[in-house]
């Protein structure tokens, strides 16, 4: 592509699409076969088994994929990983290399015309690279010169707030803590991170209602639950190891409720690839009830359930946990009065779910005391996302299903340390208490007030108010909404810097100058002046544990993320009074001592993290102690979303394929949905296709229009699918150009990528 336009796709490029019937069973022998194929293709036979044997094991390395927790006790000797975890590991442990000769061969313009799969599969970056002003090719640069370039550019800015520092969820606790410390010593709170684009809504909603922006359950709670609700989440693709926990829950008698517009194999049935009986055909049915809710009508569904539960409480009693409500919550009377004003029939009509199914769901909730509610971006990426989650919390609070075994909130995080980044201080909204800790412990005056989040950073770059963009991991352009707008914003910068393991699209849409600083991966040894180092990670359920790579780095030129940050701080800040950046680089125990002094719950960090399996951080909601202003959990009143569609409009949600993790593509297939060799597709209700005069595999353009501006995503193929009428689904990042930068969730400012009004234009 040119640096300002989308990749030009022609209908001829979409001739390889093959369709088959969607799967109804997840994992099994096919998952095992796929995992082996990817591992061997990238790592080779010799390296595959030794590498995978250390994944997610005590004393091994943490998978760079999702944040699903590992068992506290015994772990599988066959392997604590899943199909997509193997793909993530193989991507980092690949034998392919992207070195100076690669960049000499391909100009930035030529690379820009390659597709994302080709770019990502090129291999590991081996040397620091620079794109000089006006140059056509990246060229090698010495590390010291690279640090000087960044430092000189940062220090020449009239105001530190003219720089923004992004963080992906792959970054370790040690790197995250160093990063935020450097950024605040530099003088800004502009610390956007990937949470801003996914679970920020969860953090806001949970902090408002139960006083902590994290989930309250442990992995062991799944074996004790009576009902497990899974909303807006596709665990078969995005968190496959969760299926094993669901299987154990089913064995113990739990009922599973799936709430998702699309029928997903990973919510229907499961074959454990580590179980010989399952490989021979034994299947565990997962969902006892599958509710295909209309996109963004989750509040309507929850309110309908609340009405039915309220009716049962008034008729029979014992449905609500009145002792818990009276002692631990506020807002009960107001919520009950609000429910009196609601129309059950109207709410059910909004969901497009049969009334009988909702009644069955309500009966299961009414007769159960131990309820876990899981969710992911299907709830968090809407304008009313915070309300979606607060309404879920209402149900759990009324049932007394928070702060007891087998019950609680479970936001299922994406990247493996996205939760740890926030714990370590990666936040554009630092608390006064945290800033005071920094002042006391490190002898400097940190900046006060709120910095920029992801959307605000993009807007500020677009206006020329931010001139330096620094990314600690991630593929910012492809992850962000409004692709053309984001590209223009990055191109307005004086300098863009990416700390990366592999090449990605963001390296090709750059400022006047650009740097790629290559780092070691989770699988690789980290050798510093004091010897071999390890890092630590926090999983979705608040367990902090160590991760130690075993492979030799892909290149002797690679540096660790903590070392890169420390050297940058030395170049930019010089000597600092309250912290030694050299000691931090030489021995990560020094960083962990600083963490222990600063982060609540991390006391004695160095010793506790060395215990096999790690340690749990404090969780007030888990302990039935709610850190709100009143010290009580808050029942809240939330509004039903009003998604008014005009004639010919559809409500679009963006989703991942099975050959994908966030913006990383492993292949062009979506095995569970029956799609092979193509990603530019739109899943549509069969009756909608007929009414629109379309047909299966027809090529169409997509558009969205907000505030008088029309956005386009061109050349997609129509696929008939089991999805509610007027709802459609597309893959990201291909459909991200349709997501306006300013359509975001109230209070969390998360892009509303799951509910965008679009039109479909036949070619």
């Amino acid at each position: 592509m040119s640096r300002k336009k989308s990749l030009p796709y022609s209908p001829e490029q979409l001739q390889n699409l093959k369709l088959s019937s969607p799967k109804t069973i997840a994992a099994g022998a096919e998952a095992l076969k796929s995992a082996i194929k990817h591992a061997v293709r990238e790592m080779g036979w010799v390296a595959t088994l030794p590498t995978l044997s250390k994944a997610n094991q005590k004393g091994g390395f943490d998978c760079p994929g999702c944040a699903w927790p590992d068992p506290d006790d015994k772990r599988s000797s066959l392997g604590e990983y899943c199909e997509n975890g193997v793909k993530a590991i193989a991507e980092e442990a690949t034998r392919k290399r992207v070195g100076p000769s690669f960049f000499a061969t391909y100009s930035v313009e030529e690379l820009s015309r390659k597709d994302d799969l080709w770019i990502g599969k090129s291999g590991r970056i081996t040397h620091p690279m620079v794109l000089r002003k006006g140059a056509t090719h990246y060229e090698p640069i010495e590390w010291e010169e690279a640090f000087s370039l960044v430092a000189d550019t940062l220090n020449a800015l009239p105001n530190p707030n003219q720089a923004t520092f992004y963080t992906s969820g792959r970054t370790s606790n040690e790197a995250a803590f160093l990063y935020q410390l450097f950024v605040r010593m530099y003088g800004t709170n502009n610390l956007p991170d990937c949470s801003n684009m996914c679970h920020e809504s969860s953090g806001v909603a949970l902090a408002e209602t139960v006083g902590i922006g994290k989930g309250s359950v442990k992995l062991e709670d799944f074996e004790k639950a009576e009902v497990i609700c899974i909303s807006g989440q596709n665990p078969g693709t995005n968190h496959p190891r969760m299926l094993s926990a669901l299987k154990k829950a089913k064995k113990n008698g739990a009922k599973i409720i799936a709430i998702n517009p699309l029928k997903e194999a990973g919510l229907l049935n499961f074959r454990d690839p580590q179980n010989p009986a399952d490989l021979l055909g034994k299947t565990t049915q997962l969902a006892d009830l599958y509710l295909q809710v209309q996109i963004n009508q989750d509040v309507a569904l929850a309110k309908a359930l609340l009405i039915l539960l309220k009716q049962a409480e008034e008729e029979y009693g014992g449905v609500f946990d009145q002792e818990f409500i009276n002692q631990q919550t506020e807002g009960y009377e107001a919520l009950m009065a609000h429910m009196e004003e609601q129309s059950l029939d109207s709410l059910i009509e909004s969901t497009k779910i049969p009334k009988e199914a909702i009644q069955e769901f309500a009966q299961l909730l009414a007769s159960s005391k131990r309820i876990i509610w899981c969710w992911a971006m299907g709830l968090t990426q809407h304008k009313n996302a915070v309300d979606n989650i607060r309404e879920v919390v209402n149900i759990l609070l009324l049932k007394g299903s928070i702060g007891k075994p087998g019950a609680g909130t479970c936001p299922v995080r994406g990247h493996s340390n996205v939760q740890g980044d926030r714990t370590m201080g990666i936040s554009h909204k630092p608390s006064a208490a945290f800033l005071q800790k920094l002042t006391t412990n490190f002898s400097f005056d940190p900046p006060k007030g709120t910095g920029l989040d992801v959307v605000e950073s993009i807007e500020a770059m677009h206006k020329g108010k931010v001139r330096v963009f620094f990314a600690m991991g991630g593929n910012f352009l492809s992850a962000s909404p409004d692709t053309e707008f984001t590209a223009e914003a990055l191109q307005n910068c004086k300098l863009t810097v990416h700390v990366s393991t592999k090449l990605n699209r963001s390296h090709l849409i750059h400022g006047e100058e650009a740097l790629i600083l290559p780092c070691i991966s989770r699988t690789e040894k980290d050798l510093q002046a004091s010897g071999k180092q390890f890092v630590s990670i926090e999983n979705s359920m608040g367990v902090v544990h160590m991760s130690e790579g075993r492979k030799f780095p892909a290149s002797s030129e690679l540096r660790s993320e903590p070392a890169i940050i420390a050297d940058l701080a030395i170049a930019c800040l010089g000597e600092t009074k309250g912290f030694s950046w050299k000691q931090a680089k030489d021995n990560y125990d020094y960083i962990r001592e600083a963490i222990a002094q600063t982060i609540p719950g991390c006391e004695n960090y160095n010793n506790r993290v060395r215990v096999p399996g790690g340690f749990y951080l404090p969780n007030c909601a888990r302990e039935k102690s709610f850190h709100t202003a009143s010290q009580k959990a808050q029942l809240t009143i939330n509004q039903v979303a009003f998604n008014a569609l005009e004639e010919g409009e559809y409500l679009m949600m963006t989703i991942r394929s099975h050959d994908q993790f966030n913006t990383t593509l492993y292949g062009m297939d979506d095995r569970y949905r029956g799609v092979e060799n193509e990603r530019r597709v739109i899943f549509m209700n069969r009756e909608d296709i007929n009414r629109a005069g379309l047909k299966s595999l027809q090529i169409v353009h997509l558009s969205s229009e907000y505030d008088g501006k029309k956005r386009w995503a061109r050349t997609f193929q129509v696929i008939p699918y089991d999805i509610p009428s007027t709802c459609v689904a597309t893959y990201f990042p291909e459909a991200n150009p349709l997501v306006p930068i300013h359509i975001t969730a109230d209070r969390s400012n998360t892009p509303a990528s799951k509910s965008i009004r679009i039109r479909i234009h036949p070619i």
Side-chain angles (χ1 to χ4, degrees), residues 392-523:
V392 164
V393 174
N394 278 344
I395 294 175
L396 293 175
L397 290 176
L398 292 174
K399 293 295 301 177
S401 287
I402 294 182
K404 68 171 58 169
T409 56
C410 185
V412 184
R413 309 283 178 170
H415 243 139
S416 64
N417 199 41
V418 63
Q419 186 161 298
D421 284 352
R422 185 56 57 86
T423 300
M424 292 296 115
I426 299 291
S427 174
H428 64 290
K429 293 182 177 180
S431 69
F434 178 72
L435 294 179
Q436 182 57 51
K437 278 281 190 181
L438 295 183
T439 299
T440 302
N441 293 339
F442 306 109
S443 303
F444 80 106
D445 187 19
K448 306 300 189 293
T450 299
L452 301 178
D453 63 15
V454 164
V455 167
E456 292 163 343
S457 292
I458 295 169
E459 292 174 328
M461 287 188 287
H462 200 272
K463 295 175 181 176
K465 294 182 177 180
V466 162
R467 301 287 290 142
V468 174
F469 173 81
F470 194 109
M472 185 58 59
N475 181 357
F476 187 80
L477 175 71
S478 296
S480 299
D482 216 335
T483 308
E484 299 297 329
F485 187 91
T486 301
E488 291 169 359
L490 290 168
Q491 290 166 330
N492 279 347
C493 290
K494 181 176 178 61
L495 176 67
T496 50
V497 186
H498 296 270
V499 177
S500 305
T501 56
K502 300 188 302 127
L503 191 67
N504 65 53
R505 178 74 54 191
S506 295
H507 303 142
L508 311 176
I509 305 296
H510 51 78
E512 293 176 13
E513 291 189 285
L515 283 168
I516 304 173
L517 305 180
C519 62
I520 64 172
S521 72
R522 292 270 180 88
T523 63

Side-chain angles (χ1 to χ4, degrees), residues 159-376:
N159 187 318
N161 290 321
Q162 290 186 0
T164 196
F165 298 85
Y166 176 73
T167 318
S168 85
R170 187 201 66 212
T171 306
S172 68
N173 281 351
E174 289 76 7
F177 185 82
L178 278 193
Y179 193 48
Q180 65 81 28
L181 186 60
F182 158 64
V183 170
R184 292 194 164 101
M185 283 188 175
Y186 170 67
T188 183
N189 283 321
N190 290 349
L191 279 160
D193 75 316
C194 57
S195 287
N196 300 152
M197 293 187 280
C198 53
H199 270 289
E200 190 75 26
S201 301
S202 299
V204 171
L206 292 172
E208 290 177 353
T209 54
V210 298
I212 183 172
K214 302 180 182 182
S216 65
V217 299
K218 296 181 178 181
L219 186 57
E220 63 190 41
D221 287 317
F222 280 76
E223 298 182 42
K224 303 171 184 176
E226 296 174 288
V227 173
I228 300 172
C229 307
I230 305 173
S231 289
Q233 184 201 356
N234 177 18
T237 288
N238 300 334
H239 313 91
R241 287 199 298 154
M242 181 179 177
L243 301 182
S244 297
L246 296 178
K247 178 183 177 181
K248 290 180 181 178
K250 290 288 291 187
K251 182 180 178 180
N252 292 340
K255 299 293 184 181
I256 295 177
I257 315 300
I259 306 164
N260 200 307
L262 290 171
K263 276 285 181 73
E264 301 285 18
L267 293 168
L268 294 171
N269 300 284
F270 172 55
R271 286 181 181 155
D272 187 348
Q274 296 195 6
N275 187 310
D278 285 22
L279 289 176
L280 292 174
K282 182 183 177 182
T283 302
T284 299
Q285 178 190 344
L286 296 179
D288 295 279
L289 190 61
Y290 205 118
L291 307 181
Q292 288 183 266
V293 67
Q294 192 87 356
I295 289 176
N296 199 24
Q297 288 303 313
D298 300 277
V299 170
L301 172 59
K303 282 190 186 297
L305 292 169
L306 282 171
I307 289 174
L308 293 170
L309 291 172
K310 180 175 181 291
Q311 291 173 352
E313 169 71 12
E314 291 169 350
E315 186 171 354
Y316 307 112
V319 173
F320 291 163
D321 187 335
Q322 293 292 349
E323 181 180 358
F324 178 88
I325 292 168
N326 292 335
Q327 294 181 2
Q328 302 284 351
T329 74
E330 285 184 334
Y332 178 74
E333 292 78 9
L335 179 58
M336 292 301 102
H338 172 74
M339 298 314 301
E340 288 288 342
E341 301 170 355
Q342 306 304 301
S343 165
L344 178 61
D345 290 340
S346 296
L347 292 168
I348 292 175
E349 172 61 24
S350 295
T351 69
K352 305 301 181 187
I353 299 170
K355 184 174 184 178
E356 297 75 19
I358 295 178
Q359 289 173 326
E360 183 180 351
F361 188 6
Q363 288 170 2
L364 282 172
L365 294 176
S367 60
S368 303
K369 297 182 181 299
R370 300 188 303 277
I371 303 164
I372 294 175
W373 207 301
C374 310
W375 68 87

Side-chain angles (χ1 to χ4, degrees), residues 51 54-66 70 75 89 92 169-175 416-417 520-527 531-539 543-551 560-562 588-589 592 605-606 608-615:
T51 301
K54 296 298 181 182
N56 297 319
Q57 297 290 350
K58 295 176 182 178
F61 65 89
D62 192 70
C63 174
C66 77
D70 309 309
R75 301 186 183 178
I89 293 166
E92 291 198 351
R170 187 201 66 212
T171 306
S172 68
N173 281 351
E174 289 76 7
S416 64
N417 199 41
I520 64 172
S521 72
R522 292 270 180 88
T523 63
E524 293 170 331
K525 295 180 180 180
D526 185 350
L527 299 175
K532 191 164 71 169
Q533 307 297 311
F534 69 86
V535 294
S536 54
I537 309 297
E538 179 186 345
N539 65 35
V543 179
V544 177
H545 56 100
M546 64 187 295
S547 175
E548 186 175 0
R550 300 302 179 92
K551 291 173 62 67
S560 72
E561 288 180 325
Y588 298 172
D589 279 355
R592 287 185 283 270
Y605 194 88
N606 266 314
R608 294 163 72 201
V609 80
R610 282 178 163 86
V611 174
F615 64 94

